[in-house]
Amino acid sequence: MKPIQTKKDYQNYVEQKSPNSPIIKNCFNAFWVGGLICSIGQIIFNYCKYRGMDIQISNTIVSIILIGLSAFLTGLNLFNRIGKFAGAGSLVPITGFANSVVSPAMEYKSEGYVMGVGGKMFTVAGPVLVFGISASIVVGILYLIFNTQSITLV
Amino acid sequence: MDFLTSIDWMQMLRCFIVGGLICIIGQILIDKTKLTPARILVIFVTTGAILGGLGIYQHLVDFAGCGATVPLTGFGNALAKGAIDEVAKSGFIGAFIGGTKAAAGGISAAIFFRIYCISYFKTKNEKTIKNGDFLSVFSFFFYFMHFLQFLQF
Amino acid sequence: MQKIGKQTVKFDTPPTILQTASIVGPKEADGPLASYFDQCLEDEFWGEKSWEKAESKIIKETVNMAIAKSGIPSEQIDYCFAGDLLNQCISSSFGLRELNIPFFGIFGACSTFVEALCMASIFLEGGAASYALCAASSHFCSAEKQFRFPLELGNQRPPTSQWTVTGSGAAIVAKNGMGPYITHITPGKIVDMGIKDANNMGAAMAPAALDTLISHFKDTGRSPSYYDAILTGDLGHVGKEILIEMAETKGYNIKSNYNDCGVLIFDKEKQDTHSGRKWLCLLWNCIFWISI
């Protein structure tokens, strides 16, 4: 092996030296866990439709129930195990969002209810809301400017 | 069971596959780019909002149902769609109302269930459920059932 | 006491490490070094309300244990050097507030304990003290809370990530004694090779460890084979391999007597940690030779 001179050399060396995440296995787990969570959502959605609710309300109920379940599993300290196993499979569905709200709230409970639970609750999920809502405002304004159907024709 | 026969199993399969594929994209981002989970969530929500604004994401929702709405891209799509609908209804001010309105259910639910969790569970490291926790499991069950009743489920 | 070479201090009457004590958490108790610790805890809270309070209690009890074991009354200990990973060193400041010993709060991250030993030995050698107390603590949960993500957040740890040790170590250092002695100290430079991955700290720290080791060999005129053991604090499996390979390219063969405390404290096969971190930081940017 050649002696390492520059930072770039060292970074390449570390890259090659560090063990990689088992990506195939991770992707497989993410696929079936993520798919399963979505399917549970679909069953709830179908049930809502079966009870005669409209699509918008049904979607909200699906989110609320999945968030509730995920918060519950987080509280039981089981969600981090699922997350460890499934990676993006449990992170990317709405369950990951609920987990990222509940976990800091539990963690910072020891710092009091106002600044601890209340203040730190959105440390992980905050950026999601900030960027999501900002994007929706931009989309809304753009829609207003190009107030034609052309933008949604794709 | 009327309900079971009413389920469209092909729809379910499409939902499973599309939902799984979106998660695989997330997993590849995690493993290949060393992004933190918060960044990945942000990327998904923003992508969803952009695709939703362009009207592309709706095709995926029509195709896969909850496979497209349950992942966070669906959350982004709901935000964008909410904004567009509200703009169509009430003009400029709608851009500021619509998105948050569409997301209100999810955000409030997260805060609501968090209240339950922090009052019943203690944060712990690598520990399984202890005896005392079974009480909270049952109480959560009833809590949840009540909740569903309120939803007229 | 005199400076030799570029960055090494040599002691004429080397200070002695008189007595040590250690308390660790449950995960460390499952590891291969369990029988060497004085006390192992059942859970991370130890009856306290928060992890920070638990960490304070751990360092307090460890220090008391070290004082009790040494048999030296605490009034005779002149100075105390202690630190931890948290902001403003709160664990050690709060834990040691009832000790009534003049206190130096130090922060060296992984090298805190060795930094304490270095400063204490200079105080002892210079005649400013006859007994000094060194201590350091860390807590997995409080460190994760401060530096990374909440524990309940369901994310995956990549294979290169490290696991902070829950525990504390304390040592009483004396001016005279029967050894083990601290004969040389070599404080290291900050070496940044541009590793930005927070989950690969071993690779980020290895160049600094290498630089310090080589400076020590050059300053003292010794070769690696002079030592029975060369130990680094917390490079982990990745950092350890990198250090060995890089030392080889510079012409130093440390393969036979080098080891890493982070590798030693946890069992890679049995425990899911992706390697350990901190605590027995015998050497990261400091080297000292213990002769018996």
Side-chain angles (χ1 to χ4, degrees), chain C residues 69-98:
Chain C
K69 274 169 86 177
S70 70
I72 294 162
S74 62
E75 301 84 54
Q76 279 188 33
I77 297 172
D78 300 291
Y79 296 105
C80 162
F81 299 84
D84 54 80
L85 284 174
L86 302 182
N87 288 339
Q88 280 96 28
C89 294
I90 49 168
S91 310
S92 32
S93 326
F94 279 100
L96 303 182
R97 65 189 154 171
E98 287 148 16

Side-chain angles (χ1 to χ4, degrees), chain C residues 10-23:
Chain C
K10 179 176 184 285
F11 296 123
D12 303 319
T13 50
T16 292
I17 298 174
L18 209 58
Q19 194 55 267
T20 58
S22 56
I23 297 178

Side-chain angles (χ1 to χ4, degrees), chain C residues 176-210:
Chain C
N176 305 305
M178 302 296 292
Y181 299 113
I182 300 169
T183 62
H184 295 74
I185 56 174
T186 308
K189 294 192 286 267
I190 299 166
V191 180
D192 180 10
M193 293 298 267
I195 299 291
K196 289 186 187 131
D197 186 357
N199 283 317
N200 198 355
M201 293 309 289
M205 295 185 292
L210 179 74

Side-chain angles (χ1 to χ4, degrees), chain A residues 107 109-111, chain B residues 122-123, chain C residues 44-57 139 141-142 145:
Chain A
E107 179 115 344
K109 194 183 163 188
S110 62
E111 291 182 12
Chain B
K122 199 178 176 186
T123 174
Chain C
E44 281 88 355
F45 280 102
W46 204 4
E48 296 292 329
K49 280 220 168 91
S50 70
W51 294 316
E52 290 79 2
K53 282 184 179 160
E55 192 180 337
S56 279
K57 188 174 175 185
H139 194 298
C141 305
S142 64
K145 180 179 166 187

